[in-house]
Structure formats: C-alpha cells, structure tokens
Amino acid sequence: MVEPSFIVGIFGNVISILVFASPISTFWRIVKKKSTENFKWLPYATTLLSTSLWTFYGLLKPGGLLVVTVNGTGTVLEAIYVILFLTFASNDTKWKMVKVVAVVNIGFYALVVLVTLLALHGSVRLLIVGLLCAALTIGMYAAPMAAMSTMVRTKSVEYMPFSLSFFLLLNGGIWSAYSVLVKDYFIGVPNAIGLALGSAQLILYMIYRRKGPQTKNTQRDEEEGSAHLMSGRLEMTEKKQHLHKGSSLPKSFASRQNNSSKILKALSMTPLELNSFNNNVEVNKE
C-alpha cells in the first residue's frame, strides 16, 4: 500500500517544479529585450544554493528520494536562470552577481559538502545540513520581499510575477503537510514560513493590481488637464497680444477690437457680474 507521505510528496514535486519553472516567462521577456530591467537577481542565486543543499540533504537522508528529485530539477533550472541573468545584466550588476555566485553558490557549497563528508558523522551530518537548508529555504521565500518593496514603492505589480507568488504559496502548503507526515521539521518550519510570506505577497498583488490602472488613468487625466490649461493660457496670451496691436490701427478697427474684448470679458463673467456690467453700459449710454 502506498503511504500518504509518498502521494503528498509526489504532489509536492509537481508543485515545486512548477515553482521553479514559473520564472520562464520572465526570462523569455529578458531574452527578448536583452535587458534584465528592474528584475532582481538575488532570489535566483539564493534558490540555486538552497536547491543544491537540499539535493545533498536528500542524498544523506534515508528515504529522501523525493527530496532529491525535486531539488535536483530545481538546481538545473535555477542554474540556467542565473546564467541568463549574468548574460543580460548591466556591467555593475553582472560583477556583483559573479562575486556572489563564485563565493556563495560555488565556494560555500563546496565547503559544506567537504566538511560534512570529511569531518561530520552519523546524525550530526543531517542536523547541520538540515539547519542550513532550513535557513536557506526561509531566505528563498523571503528573497521576493525585494520585489515586494518595489511593488509598494511603484504601486505596480509589473515586477512581481503573479505565478511565482501563487506557486510559492502552494509549495509552502504542500511541503508543510509532507513534513508533518514524515516528521521532518527541517522541511516543515521553513515551508510554514513560506506559506505565510506567499499569502502576504498575494495580498499585496491583489491590492496593487487594482490600484495600478487607476493610478495610471489619474496621471493621464492630470497630464491632459495640464495640457488643456497650458493651451488655454497660450490662446489668451495670443489674444492679449493681438488686442494690444489693435491700439496702433485705425479707430474703426480698434473699436472692433474693443468690442471683441468686451464680448470675451462678458463671456467670462458670472451672472451677477454680467448683470452689473449691463447696468453700467446702460448708464454710459444715457
């Protein structure tokens, strides 16, 4: 009979692979535009280290096949993302990434593997590697907070992919359930935190997805209103200049200009001012 933990683990594999695959659309955009724009590279470097260590943890842990399969796949995908980001990033970002990847993703990972295999034995190996994996998984879930801050600052969801946030939420939930069944707290604690952070990301996404278009429309209306106002001021300036020129023309033409000026003035008056103006005109006629 198949154990419930195995079934949940299979579902966990499927969801996690979808999580790892969710940035494909983002990187397709990066490749097409040949620019990383405002996308953050830290989540991919963090996730690469996390999946690498979880693969190592699964190899050390008895019955850790499902942990190896999902994180091995994730390691391959994240490595591709990091390479693409390095290819299209600006020079400043590229050098920062090279330093971090060389020191953390290669150097630190190699050090952990060597120390674990050569200096540690028995259950201590799982304890140390498990703690590192748990800490990095929390970092993986927390890494998109940089994108969250960008979303709050710009009031735009452009740089917070919905699919990534949604599948992170599902991923945290399914692996939390799996950890309860297999009694593995190194898997359970970070994924429970991921469940909470994924929920927060989706809440922010829904808030700014609604506000974003409205803000853009408001800005567009303000720009159009300013354009109309400036246009109106220019027209009034031209009319005033034209009226001043009329003073040097023959009296008959200047008279027409004065009449035009009175008409324009009358059109801009309130009903009360217009009534007063008419009374003055009648008095002058008398």
Side-chain angles (χ1 to χ4, degrees), residues 2-225:
V2 180
E3 295 183 1
S5 61
F6 183 80
I7 297 173
V8 174
I10 293 294
F11 278 109
N13 268 248
V14 173
I15 293 172
S16 292
I17 291 172
L18 289 174
V19 170
F20 296 136
S22 62
I24 288 177
S25 60
T26 297
F27 280 91
W28 179 248
R29 170 176 171 174
I30 288 173
V31 171
K32 284 179 66 178
K33 294 191 174 184
K34 296 182 179 180
S35 171
T36 57
E37 301 180 275
N38 287 337
F39 292 108
K40 308 298 181 182
W41 59 270
L42 185 59
Y44 306 106
T46 305
T47 307
L48 176 60
L49 180 61
S50 176
T51 53
S52 301
L53 284 172
W54 275 114
T55 302
F56 183 52
Y57 176 85
L59 292 171
L60 294 175
K61 180 181 174 65
L65 176 63
L66 293 175
V67 177
V68 173
T69 54
V70 66
N71 287 286
T73 304
T75 299
V76 173
L77 289 173
E78 296 300 328
I80 294 172
Y81 299 152
V82 169
I83 291 170
L84 287 174
F85 216 106
L86 281 169
T87 302
F88 296 105
S90 63
N91 289 332
D92 292 339
T93 303
K94 190 175 295 185
W95 284 115
K96 289 178 183 178
M97 281 191 68
V98 167
K99 292 175 183 177
V100 172
V101 170
V103 173
V104 177
N105 293 96
I106 298 174
F108 179 73
Y109 177 73
L111 180 64
V112 170
V113 172
L114 289 174
V115 170
T116 302
L117 295 178
L118 299 176
L120 303 176
H121 304 281
S123 60
V124 179
R125 286 180 174 178
L126 278 179
L127 175 64
I128 299 300
V129 177
L131 287 173
L132 285 173
C133 288
L136 284 170
T137 302
I138 295 173
M140 180 192 75
Y141 283 120
M145 291 182 71
M148 290 171 67
S149 65
T150 301
M151 179 168 57
V152 172
R153 187 175 65 254
T154 63
K155 293 181 173 57
S156 170
V157 299
E158 183 178 5
Y159 299 106
M160 171 60 76
F162 172 80
S163 58
L164 179 60
S165 301
F166 177 70
F167 283 115
L168 280 176
L169 176 67
L170 290 181
N171 189 68
I174 196 70
W175 285 108
S176 296
Y178 175 82
S179 68
V180 173
L181 294 173
V182 298
K183 295 180 175 59
D184 191 327
Y185 300 107
F186 296 125
I187 296 175
V189 172
N191 281 287
I193 294 173
L195 180 63
L197 289 175
S199 301
Q201 289 172 32
L202 281 183
I203 291 170
L204 283 176
Y205 186 94
M206 296 305 295
I207 290 173
Y208 290 109
R209 184 182 66 87
R210 294 173 182 174
K211 286 188 175 181
Q214 184 178 359
T215 302
K216 291 180 180 178
N217 291 335
T218 301
Q219 291 176 346
R220 185 170 64 249
D221 292 342
E222 289 176 353
E223 291 173 357
E224 291 177 354

